[in-house]
Amino acid sequence: MSARHDLLFLLWMIQLSCVFNFTAADCECGYSSTIGSSTMDYVFTDLLESDFLHIANISLDTDWRPQSYNVTAEASRGAYGTAFSVPNVVSNPIANMASFSGPGSLGGDPGLQFLVDGGIPKSGYVGCAEMDSARTDMLWGTYRAAMKLTPVPGTVSAFFWYFNDSMEIDMEFLSEQWVFENNTFPVNLVLQSTASVAAGYNAAGTGNYVVTNLPFNPTDGYHEYRIDFIPGNVIFYGDGTVLAHMNTSAVPTMAGHLILTQWSNGNPLWSYGPPATAAIMTVSYVKAYFNSSLLERQTAWEMRCKDGNALNAICPIPDQTTAPSVLNTTDNTTALPYFFSNDDNKTANQTVYHSLGLAVVKRGETWFAQPLVFTIFLLILLLLL
């Protein structure tokens, strides 16, 4: 056999090893976490990890969709309407991909900024910001976002899971409340349900609404806000501390998506405002580990998970028990966030955003594992040999 044929044979063997995945990948059966006080591990098959400290342009990230729409004052039940616009979602990454130290490229706190315009709007609409996950197949899971909230009174900042107005899991932060609460920091934890919709979207009398104080100042830096969502149960956390546990029939049963937002409409019973000056909420990451409602994702998991008891087949999800830092600290092992997608071989068959590129790639595969790309490569090689 000629040297040319030897080379072609070797390349085809590499291609086959990639396509048929002869070597097992870590985490091929999923990602596990304890939920609330349970000693039992829950296993989630899919993940979405977004390191906003190092994503240069959120409009190029197909995992997320900045929103553009208006809501009238009447529809929003406020003194003003809300105008959600793409320019109010601003990427402010750290230039050095290997660094977790600020500031961002625009100055100030690095990450993804959600801006609410300051002052009385001449148009009658307050400029606001919202971003939704592209995936809408998120069912049971553990959903986590690291955010630094605004100290400017008059906005609502929120991290929530959403299917529709009667199936919604909210963590909402009213910056106006902090002014009047004697230096405490309430968070509003809400399950929207058919009962709250019937009450005019007011969950206060449904038993699925809890106001509790955060164990930290949410404006002094990034803190992780977490929602664990399993059948019949929702648990809310702040930096790993349980804030509330809701065990109720109001827990959603359909798959949904994630939303990050900051807004104001001048409603004196909720958002207050608009803020006197521009208010910025900054997000450093979102990490979601969940079970997909899509048949193709379930089938993909069944194909790759051959032995759930194999070594490293299921990877434990590290809990963030301290405030996630964007600065160098003396305890980086707990302060700096961990991403499976930054490690080789831990996201096989998972679609994750590549922070260095402009498109979605599948970690656990090399570029030549794509049959069309590899065929073109071979044809070029044949011409050169």
Side-chain angles (χ1 to χ4, degrees):
M1 187 180 289
S2 67
R4 176 180 176 180
H5 287 141
D6 287 343
L7 177 59
L8 289 176
F9 178 76
L10 176 60
L11 289 170
W12 276 116
M13 290 302 296
I14 293 172
Q15 164 71 352
L16 287 174
S17 69
C18 293
V19 171
F20 292 103
N21 193 21
F22 291 149
T23 58
D26 291 341
C27 317
E28 61 185 3
C29 292
Y31 311 89
S32 65
S33 177
T34 56
I35 301 296
S37 60
S38 172
T39 58
M40 170 182 143
D41 282 342
Y42 287 81
V43 177
F44 305 110
T45 59
D46 286 58
L47 94 172
L48 184 157
E49 293 182 329
S50 297
D51 175 10
F52 296 124
L53 296 178
H54 299 109
I55 293 177
N57 187 340
I58 191 61
S59 67
L60 300 177
D61 183 350
T62 55
D63 284 335
W64 294 97
R65 294 173 178 166
Q67 299 296 297
S68 179
Y69 65 94
N70 292 350
V71 182
T72 65
E74 180 181 11
S76 69
R77 302 184 296 280
Y80 306 97
T82 51
F84 294 89
S85 66
V86 173
N88 278 33
V89 180
V90 181
S91 299
N92 187 29
I94 298 172
N96 183 350
M97 294 298 300
S99 174
F100 280 80
S101 298
S105 59
L106 304 178
D109 296 319
L112 193 62
Q113 298 179 344
F114 292 72
L115 173 68
V116 173
D117 297 337
I120 302 301
K122 294 180 180 179
S123 66
Y125 287 80
V126 182
C128 303
E130 179 184 320
M131 186 175 71
D132 298 8
S133 67
R135 292 189 67 164
T136 60
D137 60 319
M138 298 176 167
L139 193 52
W140 323 122
T142 177
Y143 302 100
R144 309 168 184 205
M147 305 187 294
K148 181 179 180 181
L149 304 183
T150 182
V152 179
T155 75
V156 177
S157 299
F159 169 53
F160 60 106
W161 176 101
Y162 182 85
F163 171 69
N164 63 20
D165 289 346
S166 64
M167 290 193 190
E168 183 178 334
I169 306 171
D170 294 347
M171 300 186 77
E172 300 196 45
F173 312 88
L174 314 184
S175 58
E176 190 78 23
Q177 283 184 326
W178 305 335
V179 176
F180 299 109
E181 295 289 338
N182 194 27
N183 207 35
T184 61
F185 300 95
V187 55
N188 300 267
L189 309 173
V190 187
L191 290 187
Q192 297 288 2
S193 62
T194 54
S196 64
V197 172
Y201 301 96
N202 183 359
T206 65
N208 302 313
Y209 176 74
V210 173
V211 180
T212 188
N213 288 323
L214 294 167
F216 47 76
N217 180 342
T219 71
D220 66 5
Y222 292 99
H223 295 274
E224 185 186 86
Y225 303 93
R226 171 178 163 188
I227 299 168
D228 285 354
F229 169 34
I230 57 174
N233 294 267
V234 171
I235 303 97
F236 300 91
Y237 307 75
D239 285 343
T241 298
V242 173
L243 301 173
H245 183 174
M246 298 184 186
N247 183 347
T248 168
S249 60
V251 172
T253 55
M254 302 293 289
H257 63 282
L258 295 179
I259 298 177
L260 295 157
T261 185
Q262 189 183 209
W263 59 274
S264 180
N265 66 357
N267 184 332
L269 300 178
W270 194 246
S271 74
Y272 294 84
T277 59
I280 297 175
M281 174 186 84
T282 310
V283 183
S284 66
Y285 67 73
V286 171
K287 297 190 284 186
Y289 309 93
F290 58 96
N291 293 325
S292 173
S293 62
L294 298 178
L295 178 60
E296 57 264 37
R297 293 301 305 153
Q298 297 167 8
T299 301
W301 174 81
E302 291 171 355
M303 291 181 65
R304 73 176 180 265
C305 180
K306 302 303 182 185
D307 182 5
N309 295 317
L311 183 65
N312 298 328
I314 298 174
C315 294
I317 303 167
D319 287 340
Q320 190 73 42
T321 57
T322 62
S325 176
V326 297
L327 302 173
N328 294 323
T329 71
T330 57
D331 190 9
N332 286 342
T333 56
T334 58
L336 294 180
Y338 171 78
F339 298 90
F340 288 104
S341 47
N342 284 344
D343 284 349
D344 293 336
N345 209 39
K346 290 189 176 180
T347 52
N349 195 240
Q350 300 282 354
T351 301
V352 296
Y353 181 78
H354 194 307
S355 57
L356 291 174
L358 303 181
V360 170
V361 298
K362 289 186 177 179
R363 295 297 178 98
E365 297 178 355
T366 51
W367 67 270
F368 49 79
Q370 307 300 322
L372 177 60
V373 174
F374 188 73
T375 300
I376 295 172
F377 170 74
L378 281 179
L379 290 174
I380 295 172
L381 186 63
L382 282 170
L383 292 173
L384 294 176
L385 289 177

